[in-house]
Amino acid sequence: MNPMERLAEYAEPVTRHPYILRVRRNHGLEHATIHILNRRNYKLSGRSSDSGFVLLGEVPTEQVESALVEALSRMKAGEHKLAVHPNCGTNLVTTGFLATVVAFFGFAGRGIRRSWERFPTMMVAMMAVVLLSMPLGLSLQKHFTTAGDLGEMELVSVTRDTKTLPFNGKQVTLHRVVTRQG
């Protein structure tokens, strides 16, 4: 068992709490749906909650519905890897956190001159952070922020809405997906 699996096992009382598990399952279904829509050349993002998730992006509602049905079916058939997506915010947060920690310790307590001397070393360290943070972020998704086993999850509804962004007046399409645990 690797260290991440051990940590996940230790954290299981929290990650299996009914509320958190609902969010993780919806997050996994959101990712699976986005995987399928990405293969159909749609670009979108999402945000999950305990009652479902929202997809942001210009996609016909029929495409969202068919991708949802396919994702739900495939995940219930055992394709749990669909729950993990390379463009998840978990990966971005992991990269940002690690880069901040490395920068903090790399430049802390140094004068400006010493900091500039350490700049090439810190640049290499930051590149290593970017390379290592992706597999770490994917592992964090797999064990903590998503769940590939959807249990008895059911699709309740899909609704489409259009919102106007406040600063530029552009329209954004939202699809609200509501689920429930059977």
Side-chain angles (χ1 to χ4, degrees):
M1 187 180 303
N2 70 42
M4 187 66 74
E5 290 170 339
R6 269 188 245 132
L7 184 60
E9 188 176 284
Y10 180 74
E12 197 167 302
V14 175
T15 60
R16 294 305 241 167
H17 182 277
Y19 176 83
I20 293 173
L21 187 56
R22 282 194 310 273
V23 174
R24 292 177 62 225
R25 284 176 168 166
N26 281 317
H27 194 190
L29 181 60
E30 171 205 324
H31 284 180
T33 304
I34 290 173
H35 273 299
I36 292 164
L37 289 169
N38 286 164
R39 289 186 191 116
R40 298 177 187 173
N41 294 316
Y42 294 107
K43 304 293 180 220
L44 59 164
S45 61
R47 184 189 171 283
S48 297
S49 70
D50 66 314
S51 62
F53 55 92
V54 175
L55 295 175
L56 291 85
E58 188 54 46
V59 182
T61 303
E62 304 77 36
Q63 289 291 321
V64 172
E65 290 170 339
S66 76
L68 270 164
V69 169
E70 180 180 341
L72 196 59
S73 171
R74 288 173 61 182
M75 290 181 80
K76 285 189 175 192
E79 286 188 63
H80 298 163
K81 288 183 179 182
L82 287 171
V84 176
H85 197 283
N87 295 332
C88 178
T90 301
N91 292 358
L92 296 172
V93 169
T94 302
T95 303
F97 176 78
L98 291 176
T100 301
V101 169
V102 167
F104 178 79
F105 286 111
F107 289 122
R110 315 248 192 274
I112 291 177
R113 182 178 181 94
R114 291 278 324 257
S115 292
W116 277 110
E117 290 169 359
R118 293 189 49 78
F119 191 83
T121 303
M122 293 307 300
M123 191 170 174
V124 171
M126 291 298 178
M127 289 188 291
V129 162
V130 170
L131 292 173
L132 296 173
S133 64
M134 179 60 82
L136 179 59
L138 294 172
S139 186
L140 287 169
Q141 282 183 65
K142 178 182 177 182
H143 295 291
F144 294 97
T145 65
T146 68
D149 179 1
L150 300 181
E152 299 299 316
M153 180 183 280
E154 299 172 350
L155 181 59
V156 175
S157 65
V158 178
T159 55
R160 180 186 178 104
D161 195 10
T162 304
K163 299 286 184 187
T164 303
L165 296 175
F167 297 108
N168 62 11
K170 289 186 178 180
Q171 299 281 311
V172 63
T173 301
L174 308 169
H175 282 91
R176 173 76 178 136
V177 177
V178 178
T179 63
R180 80 169 150 245
Q181 291 296 309

